[in-house]
């Protein structure tokens, strides 16, 4: 039983490492711009990025920006465009993990362009 648990943990770590590497590669060619210290709810963030001529990053692109160290506001969450049922994925710069926040929450914004 312990052997199976260890195998699952190793497999999970390999999958996670692959996801992070893919995320870093997917964000490498993006140009990005932060909204400074201003925070928005999800709809406000979406509208802000459109007005700036960009878009919110996908959760994969946002993860890449997070692990490349490209997000300047530390110990906070950033929005992604990947959302459903009134919630959207984000990235937490303090814990370096994904978050899942309500659209009404207030988080930081980074806009991307291809």
């Amino acid at each position: 039983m312990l052997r199976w648990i260890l195998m699952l943990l190793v497999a999970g770590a390999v999958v996670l490492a692959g996801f992070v590497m893919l995320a870093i590669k997917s964000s490498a060619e993006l140009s990005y711009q932060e909204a400074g210290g201003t925070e928005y709810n999800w709809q406000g963030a979406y509208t802000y990025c459109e007005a700036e001529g960009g878009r919110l990053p996908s959760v994969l692109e946002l993860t890449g920006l997070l692990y490349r160290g490209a997000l300047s506001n530390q110990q906070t969450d950033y929005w992604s465009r990947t959302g459903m049922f009134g919630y959207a994925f984000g990235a937490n710069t303090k814990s370096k993990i994904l978050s899942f926040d309500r659209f009404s929450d207030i988080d930081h914004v980074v806009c991307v362009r291809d």
Side-chain angles (χ1 to χ4, degrees):
M1 179 71 159
L2 181 59
R3 180 178 169 190
W4 286 104
I5 292 172
L6 289 174
M7 286 175 47
L8 285 173
L9 287 173
V10 169
V14 168
V15 168
L16 179 60
F19 176 79
V20 170
M21 294 304 291
L22 179 63
I24 290 171
K25 185 177 180 183
S26 74
S27 69
E29 296 180 12
L30 291 175
S31 63
Y32 61 94
Q33 170 188 340
E34 293 190 50
T38 307
E39 297 176 282
Y40 296 91
N41 65 24
W42 186 84
Q43 185 61 52
Y46 192 92
T47 303
Y48 171 83
C49 285
E50 282 188 334
E52 293 294 312
R55 59 177 171 77
L56 284 173
S58 70
V59 69
L60 188 66
E61 293 165 338
L62 184 61
T63 302
L65 292 171
L66 173 69
Y67 280 94
R68 283 180 37 215
L71 304 175
S72 65
N73 290 308
Q74 298 303 307
Q75 301 186 17
T76 190
D77 288 333
Y78 280 83
W79 287 117
S80 82
R81 74 170 183 255
T82 310
M84 64 184 94
F85 308 115
Y87 289 83
F89 283 100
N92 184 283
T93 55
K94 180 179 181 182
S95 60
K96 300 271 194 247
I97 62 171
L98 295 178
S99 59
F100 199 57
D101 298 333
R102 294 177 307 216
F103 282 170
S104 60
D105 289 353
I106 305 297
D107 290 335
H108 283 90
V109 178
V110 60
C111 305
V112 296
R113 291 182 191 87
D114 296 313

